[in-house]
Amino acid sequence: MAATVASPAMKRLDLRDPAALFETHGAEEIRGLERQVRAEIEHKKEELRQMVGERYRDLIEAADTIGQMRRCADGLVDAVRATDQYCARLRQADPAASRPQPQQPSQEKFYSMAAQIKLLLDIPEKMWSAMEASQYLHATQLYLLCCYLHSLLQLNSAQTLHSPVLSRFPILIQQVAAASHFRSTILHESKKLLKCHTVPDQAVAEALCSIMLLEESSPRQALTDFLLARKTSIQKLLQQLHHDGGAKAQICLLVEVMATTLNQAHALFYTLPEGHLPDPSLPCGLLFSTLETITGQQPTGRGIPILQEGMKLCSWSRYLPPSIVEFQPALRTLAHPISQEFLKDTLQKWIHMCSEDIKNGLNNLLRFVKNIHDLAEVRDAMWRLLASESTSHSWNVVCQRLLEKPFLFWEDLMQQLFLHRLQTLMKEGFAAISSSCRELLISALHELEPSTSSSTPNKHIHLEHNMSLFLWTESPSDLPPDAAWVSVANRAEFAGSGLARKAHNISPCVQSFCSVLDSKLKGQLDDLLAYLPPDKASLPRDGSPKNCAFDRYSDAGTVQDVLQTHSVACIQTITSCISDELQRAEGLHRQQEGGTASRLHAVLFMARLCQSLGDLCPHLKQCILGKSGSTEKPARELRTLKKLGKGSAPEAVPLQSKWQEVRGLLLQQSVAAYRVWSSALVNALVQGFTQSLLLDDAASVLAMATSWEELEIQEETESGSSVTSKIRLPVQPSWCVQAFLFTLCQEINRVGGHALPKVTLQETLKNCMVQIVSAYERLSEEKETKREGAIPVTQNQALQLLYDVRYLSIVLTSRSEEKGGRNKQDPRTEKVINYLEALIDPFDLDVFTPHLNSNLTRLVQRTSVLFGLVAGTDSPFTPRSSTFNSQEPHNILPLAASQIRFGLLPLSMTSTRKTKATSRSTETHVQVVPPALSQADDPMHPGSLFRQLVSEEGDTSTPSLFRLSWLSSMTK
């Protein structure tokens, strides 16, 4: 029976658990698995046997090889030892044989030539080794020695074809051809090393010596080669354009190349004047000392040191002639030191050429710096580089010796380029802010336009035109979260609650616009703060640098001026856009005949925006005032300092003149916007007033006389007796006047009149008065024409009109105007008053005038609360005269009929407690008790308990808990 073969994984799984194996498989399957397992075991055993056999065979072979090597080494050691013993026996047997036998002259010449050929064949390898180790001066010495050997062996190009040495040694032909390429290679590598500013001074000196020896040039030419190589290095750096971080590394590398070049020029070419002791920490004249060492004629130390050390191990070196062993390179002309004047002129010309290249290249490099923070990082990295010990060591001494003046990298090369890039970045940033604010303003104005398509009005329109909806609606942001435990003095600098903004008439649209603008200004300011000094850094510093590091913040004043200029330009752009929109809105309003101010939501938004921009954008103030903007003293403190006469207060005025100019510009634009709204409002209100005033029918005449009072006056007759007569005078203005004033106050309150500029209110009142006078002039003209069917003006009607005109003149005339000309009245108003007085009997007018004036004064005082924003802004209360009529009540507003226990309520009483008791007793006799309780006497009516307590308080015999001190104070 064939058994089912399971997978290997399954077999291994089953074999691990025998119980599971017998549960899941039958007997035949288990026998099949057993056979497979046994077969695999045998297969593994066979593989193990083969592997062990192969490895054992390899191990035996390796052991045999090791043993053979040991035997060979022992034999070699024995042979060397035997050879040494044999030589020792020979030396002992014949001492004379060890002395060198004198050679024949021809044999010595042959050995000398052979040694020279051997040296000539070994020199190329030594030169390549020196080149690989960047020892170009040693390679140059070997090359010059090779040329000298060529001349000794007559291997020059003119005698090559007939040279007997080449005929005997043909291998030298290839050697002569290879040696001719070493000169160009050494020159190329040496000049390439000059372009690298990171190599030490000694390596540069050796490279220059190699160039001078190979080209047979002078030290002046070496100086030119050195400076040209560094100029090429600077140009190569400027041509490698990098982005962002690469620009910073590239600029720092340029500065490092310039500084290292000047330091190495001093170390290589400058020589101290006679009589000056050298400074070990400031080496100089390294090129001349290296040339002296290489080409010097001192008897000791002559020759090529490395070549001499190598030849000590060679037996054939003793056959070399002395001219080769003591070979020294030589210059055709003496290496005279460079004069200080020539060195100064050459370095100044090189600096000028490099400065032009650097300025042109830096303009391209700085284009990749996209923000001011990165620009400050580039400047700071350059400052750290120049302030490092490796660069700043003895910098002033080096500059004074080489240039006879300090060389300032930042001030002479970089500062103006950085400032120009900063101005460009700032201009682009503020241009973007201005553009975004213009778009945001146009978008906000578009949203505020009344939409005719939608039936539901826009919420923002209501909030902009009717601020009462916003002012008297509670919101979570009315109070700051920490208002309960943080005092006002300890709050954040720019923290403001919603109530404070409501008190300043700041709508949500204005808050949103100012928040966006302030966030953009904050981003621009934060970017610029990295370029400005920190708070604790002092701006004025010593102008003479102590090392090559510069004052990073020397241009902070210029940067602040640039920031101020662009900030002011940004605000001017915004105000210019607002001015254009105002002109457009004003033109549209003029085209709408008889229109109202309902479409002037955008005008009110722009007015509030200009009014609140300076307060809601604190970073704008910081941009204009700089650091002083955030640490400015409050206005109250400044006023105190001015009052005390201290000098610090007047000094703050010039610092804030620019800010005051910006605030003035914004306020001027706000007043202009409010003027558009005011003009539209006054035109609409006066138009309705004029229509009501010019109505010429009986009903309008009767409606004009609202409330008159009857007065008794005593007149003295010709006989001396007194006659009592009654007169009637108006005590209230006409309905049209009251409606006009009430509507005017209502419209002013609707737009937040408590926060309107004072000049706007004054202009509004003045404009109202001018147009109202025009309405009365029109009325007088129509009455004078005596149209058919027109109702003539009676004396009572003239009295009411006169009362209205004088009342409007008092209410709508600012106190400041009256102070400027107390006795001077508007000629047009005076003309209207004279016309109306002419309609009244002169004798009656003399009698009416004092009482009319008293009524006017009382009316103005009574309506000062109702028409507060119109009549109460300048406290128009007439001082009490010295003569007082006791019969006339001196309280203007109605008085309370009973005593009030709550003293904080601003209500007055008609009499004292004594008079109240008297009146209570009289009321007891006179008043008839009604059969049912009134609403006031109902014990279930609110306040009845306090009313009972008040009535019982007058009775001293009745005890009362409210007579106790603590309860009495609680109810007051």
Side-chain angles (χ1 to χ4, degrees):
M1 294 171 51
T4 304
V5 180
S7 63
M10 190 65 188
K11 288 188 299 182
R12 288 193 295 271
L13 181 61
D14 293 341
L15 291 176
R16 290 178 184 175
D17 190 0
L21 181 66
F22 282 95
E23 290 176 359
T24 56
H25 295 81
E28 293 298 330
E29 293 178 354
I30 293 175
R31 290 190 182 96
L33 290 175
E34 181 185 4
R35 287 191 295 270
Q36 290 180 5
V37 171
R38 290 185 183 278
E40 288 181 2
I41 292 173
E42 294 298 329
H43 180 68
K44 294 295 181 182
K45 286 181 179 180
E46 184 64 25
E47 288 182 356
L48 182 61
R49 292 190 194 100
Q50 292 178 2
M51 182 180 66
V52 171
E54 292 176 358
R55 295 293 181 270
Y56 184 71
R57 193 163 44 249
D58 295 340
L59 181 61
I60 292 174
E61 291 178 358
D64 294 341
T65 305
I66 293 172
Q68 186 178 359
M69 291 173 62
R70 183 183 296 110
R71 288 190 297 272
C72 181
D74 292 341
L76 183 61
V77 171
D78 293 340
V80 172
R81 190 177 294 125
T83 303
D84 188 17
Q85 293 174 359
Y86 179 74
C87 293
R89 287 195 301 270
L90 288 177
R91 285 193 298 269
Q92 293 176 1
D94 191 5
S98 61
R99 299 179 191 144
Q101 298 295 330
Q103 302 290 339
Q104 299 296 328
S106 59
Q107 190 176 5
E108 290 182 358
K109 185 176 181 182
F110 175 77
Y111 287 163
S112 175
M113 183 177 294
Q116 293 177 31
I117 293 174
K118 172 63 176 173
L119 178 61
L120 189 62
L121 293 175
D122 292 343
I123 282 178
E125 182 180 357
K126 296 181 182 295
M127 280 195 291
W128 282 120
S129 299
M131 292 288 290
E132 291 177 356
S134 299
Q135 297 176 357
Y136 303 119
L137 181 57
H138 182 60
T140 302
Q141 291 175 284
L142 292 176
Y143 173 76
L144 294 177
L145 177 60
C146 184
C147 294
Y148 181 68
L149 289 174
H150 287 176
S151 63
L152 289 180
L153 296 175
Q154 298 179 358
L155 299 179
N156 297 331
S157 60
Q159 303 175 356
T160 299
L161 298 177
H162 305 285
S163 174
V165 178
L166 291 179
S167 61
R168 295 183 180 181
F169 303 98
I171 194 174
L172 294 179
I173 298 176
Q174 298 179 359
Q175 197 276 341
V176 171
S180 62
H181 300 289
F182 275 104
R183 181 178 183 274
S184 59
T185 304
I186 295 173
L187 284 175
H188 175 73
E189 295 297 330
S190 298
K191 292 182 178 180
K192 183 179 179 181
L193 184 139
L194 294 180
K195 298 178 182 180
C196 183
H197 68 283
T198 57
V199 295
D201 300 344
Q202 183 62 39
V204 178
E206 292 178 358
L208 287 173
C209 289
S210 300
I211 296 173
M212 292 178 64
L213 291 173
L214 294 177
E215 294 184 346
E216 297 180 353
S217 58
S218 62
R220 292 190 175 186
Q221 183 62 36
L223 174 62
T224 304
D225 294 340
F226 172 71
L227 296 179
L228 287 178
R230 293 301 169 86
K231 184 176 182 294
T232 305
S233 177
I234 291 174
Q235 291 177 345
K236 184 178 179 181
L237 283 175
L238 292 174
Q239 292 173 0
Q240 298 174 356
L241 297 181
H242 298 284
H243 299 274
D244 299 337
K248 178 175 70 173
Q250 202 165 347
I251 293 174
C252 292
L253 194 58
L254 285 173
V255 175
E256 188 177 355
V257 170
M258 292 284 291
T260 307
T261 301
L262 291 179
N263 284 323
Q264 290 183 348
H266 175 270
L268 295 174
F269 301 100
Y270 181 79
T271 55
L272 288 172
E274 297 182 0
H276 288 73
L277 297 177
D279 185 4
S281 63
L282 193 62
C284 58
L286 192 59
L287 175 66
F288 303 102
S289 60
T290 305
L291 281 175
E292 182 66 23
T293 302
I294 299 301
T295 63
Q297 301 298 324
Q298 291 84 357
T300 58
R302 297 184 63 183
I304 305 174
I306 299 180
L307 183 61
Q308 290 179 355
E309 293 178 2
M311 288 188 301
K312 289 179 181 180
L313 303 177
C314 302
S315 59
W316 51 266
S317 62
R318 64 176 179 267
Y319 296 106
L320 292 173
S323 60
I324 295 178
V325 176
E326 300 177 357
F327 175 77
Q328 290 282 92
L331 291 172
R332 287 189 178 183
T333 59
L334 296 177
H336 295 288
I338 301 176
S339 62
Q340 295 185 4
E341 191 67 26
F342 180 81
L343 184 61
K344 181 185 73 173
D345 294 341
T346 305
L347 289 176
Q348 287 181 349
K349 292 179 182 178
W350 178 79
I351 291 174
H352 178 71
M353 290 188 299
C354 292
S355 299
E356 296 298 325
D357 294 338
I358 289 175
K359 289 178 181 179
N360 296 330
L362 274 183
N363 286 328
N364 298 327
L365 281 176
L366 292 178
R367 285 190 295 106
F368 298 106
V369 181
K370 299 300 182 181
N371 54 69
I372 302 177
H373 185 271
D374 293 343
L375 192 68
E377 285 187 354
V378 175
R379 181 201 61 185
D380 295 342
M382 187 166 53
W383 179 83
R384 288 191 295 269
L385 173 66
L386 295 177
S388 62
E389 186 65 26
S390 59
T391 308
S392 61
H393 178 66
S394 304
W395 175 255
N396 285 343
V397 179
V398 171
C399 291
Q400 190 63 33
R401 288 180 178 180
L402 295 179
L403 305 174
E404 297 182 357
K405 63 178 183 179
F407 178 64
L408 306 176
F409 286 100
W410 176 250
E411 290 80 357
D412 297 343
L413 292 179
M414 311 286 186
Q415 188 173 23
Q416 294 302 322
L417 299 176
F418 274 68
L419 280 177
H420 178 70
R421 181 57 183 168
L422 183 140
Q423 291 177 357
T424 303
L425 291 175
M426 203 175 299
K427 182 179 179 181
E428 294 175 355
F430 277 98
I433 293 175
S434 302
S435 177
S436 62
C437 288
R438 179 187 291 271
E439 295 176 358
L440 184 62
L441 178 64
I442 295 175
S443 175
L445 295 179
H446 180 71
E447 291 181 0
L448 291 174
E449 291 180 358
S451 57
T452 56
S453 59
S454 61
S455 59
T456 57
N458 193 353
K459 180 181 178 182
H460 297 289
I461 298 178
H462 280 290
L463 295 180
E464 288 299 328
H465 185 60
N466 192 357
M467 286 296 294
S468 59
L469 295 177
F470 173 64
L471 295 178
W472 299 106
T473 303
E474 294 183 0
S475 62
S477 61
D478 284 346
L479 291 178
D482 55 355
W485 55 85
V486 178
S487 62
V488 177
N490 296 329
R491 288 178 188 169
E493 182 180 359
F494 302 131
S497 62
L499 288 178
R501 295 183 178 180
K502 287 181 179 179
H504 287 86
N505 200 22
I506 301 173
S507 62
C509 292
V510 175
Q511 294 182 28
S512 176
F513 184 93
C514 293
S515 176
V516 173
L517 176 60
D518 190 60
S519 63
K520 293 180 180 296
L521 291 175
K522 182 180 182 299
Q524 190 71 21
L525 188 62
D526 291 343
D527 189 25
L528 184 66
L529 285 179
Y531 204 88
L532 294 175
D535 295 336
K536 297 181 180 180
S538 56
L539 292 180
R541 294 186 180 180
D542 189 8
S544 57
K546 297 180 180 179
N547 49 25
C548 63
F550 52 89
D551 184 5
R552 290 179 289 175
Y553 309 120
S554 60
D555 52 1
T558 304
V559 174
Q560 184 61 49
D561 293 340
V562 173
L563 175 62
Q564 184 186 85
T565 302
H566 288 292
S567 302
V568 173
C570 178
I571 296 301
Q572 290 176 350
T573 303
I574 296 175
T575 54
S576 176
C577 180
I578 292 176
S579 178
D580 296 340
E581 293 296 332
L582 283 179
Q583 292 179 2
R584 174 176 169 271
E586 189 175 5
L588 291 176
H589 178 73
R590 288 177 179 176
Q591 293 176 3
Q592 298 175 357
E593 295 292 338
T596 62
S598 60
R599 298 181 60 87
L600 297 178
H601 317 299
V603 174
L604 292 172
F605 166 74
M606 290 184 284
R608 296 189 187 103
L609 177 62
C610 294
Q611 187 179 11
S612 308
L613 197 62
D615 296 327
L616 295 184
C617 296
H619 292 93
L620 173 63
K621 187 175 183 180
Q622 286 191 13
C623 288
I624 296 177
L625 293 182
K627 296 292 183 180
S628 61
S630 58
T631 58
E632 180 189 5
K633 295 183 178 181
R636 183 180 302 176
E637 185 176 353
L638 289 178
R639 288 196 297 267
T640 305
L641 292 178
K642 292 179 182 180
K643 188 179 297 183
L644 294 177
K646 294 184 179 180
S648 58
E651 291 176 0
V653 176
L655 293 177
Q656 297 186 357
S657 59
K658 204 67 178 179
W659 172 244
Q660 296 299 333
E661 180 181 346
V662 172
R663 290 296 298 266
L665 177 63
L666 292 173
L667 183 59
Q668 180 182 359
Q669 200 65 42
S670 175
V671 171
Y674 277 123
R675 187 178 293 116
V676 175
W677 165 81
S678 172
S679 176
L681 174 64
V682 172
N683 291 337
L685 294 181
V686 173
Q687 184 178 3
F689 173 79
T690 305
Q691 292 177 359
S692 300
L693 183 65
L694 296 180
L695 292 176
D696 194 9
D697 53 1
S700 62
V701 173
L702 291 176
M704 185 178 296
T706 55
S707 177
W708 288 57
E709 70 173 352
E710 186 175 301
L711 298 176
E712 293 184 359
I713 59 172
Q714 292 183 356
E715 298 176 347
E716 190 174 343
T717 61
E718 295 180 358
S719 60
S721 61
S722 60
V723 178
T724 301
S725 60
K726 294 183 179 181
I727 61 173
R728 290 180 177 85
L729 293 177
V731 293
Q732 284 189 359
S734 303
W735 286 119
C736 60
V737 174
Q738 297 184 46
F740 170 78
L741 292 177
F742 182 77
T743 308
L744 177 63
C745 292
Q746 192 177 20
E747 292 295 330
I748 293 176
N749 285 322
R750 183 176 287 113
V751 298
H754 61 281
L756 289 178
K758 187 176 181 180
V759 63
T760 299
L761 287 175
Q762 292 177 354
E763 289 181 357
T764 303
L765 299 181
K766 186 177 180 180
N767 193 11
C768 286
M769 191 60 198
V770 170
Q771 296 195 33
I772 285 175
V773 171
S774 300
Y776 279 100
E777 289 177 348
R778 183 178 172 183
L779 175 64
S780 62
E781 292 176 358
E782 290 185 359
K783 295 300 181 181
E784 288 179 354
T785 55
K786 295 181 180 180
R787 293 182 293 118
E788 183 179 355
I791 301 175
V793 180
T794 62
Q795 179 170 326
N796 290 339
Q797 188 179 1
L799 274 174
Q800 184 66 51
L801 292 174
L802 178 62
Y803 188 80
D804 294 344
V805 172
R806 293 188 60 184
Y807 174 66
L808 289 172
S809 176
I810 295 174
V811 171
L812 298 180
T813 302
S814 174
R815 303 298 113 184
S816 58
E817 296 179 5
E818 292 184 358
K819 290 179 181 179
R822 183 177 300 272
N823 298 325
K824 294 181 180 179
Q825 199 172 17
D826 183 31
R828 296 176 58 194
T829 307
E830 187 175 1
K831 182 179 178 181
V832 171
I833 293 175
N834 293 335
Y835 165 75
L836 295 175
E837 288 179 350
L839 300 177
I840 305 172
D841 183 77
F843 175 76
D844 293 341
L845 182 62
D846 293 339
V847 176
F848 294 159
T849 299
H851 303 284
L852 198 64
N853 292 337
S854 178
N855 291 345
L856 281 173
T857 303
R858 188 181 302 107
L859 178 64
V860 170
Q861 293 175 352
R862 285 178 176 177
T863 56
S864 61
V865 177
L866 181 62
F867 307 138
L869 290 175
V870 176
T873 55
D874 299 311
S875 301
F877 294 106
T878 306
R880 187 173 299 174
S881 60
S882 57
T883 61
F884 176 71
N885 186 5
S886 60
Q887 297 179 357
E888 181 183 356
H890 55 273
N891 291 309
I892 302 303
L893 295 178
L895 304 180
S898 61
Q899 184 181 5
I900 301 301
R901 299 294 301 176
F902 300 96
L904 296 179
L905 293 178
L907 298 177
S908 302
M909 295 181 298
T910 56
S911 61
T912 60
R913 183 174 301 176
K914 181 177 180 180
T915 59
K916 184 172 61 177
T918 306
S919 63
R920 188 185 301 118
S921 61
T922 55
E923 288 177 2
T924 304
H925 295 286
V926 177
Q927 185 177 1
V928 178
V929 180
L933 291 174
S934 64
Q935 185 180 7
D937 296 332
D938 186 5
M940 301 302 296
H941 188 270
S944 60
L945 174 62
F946 289 97
R947 192 170 294 105
Q948 294 174 10
L949 294 174
V950 169
S951 62
E952 293 175 358
E953 187 181 358
D955 189 4
T956 56
S957 62
T958 305
S960 176
L961 290 176
F962 279 81
R963 300 188 62 180
L964 299 177
S965 60
W966 64 277
L967 283 177
S968 178
S969 62
M970 182 181 69
T971 55
K972 289 184 179 180

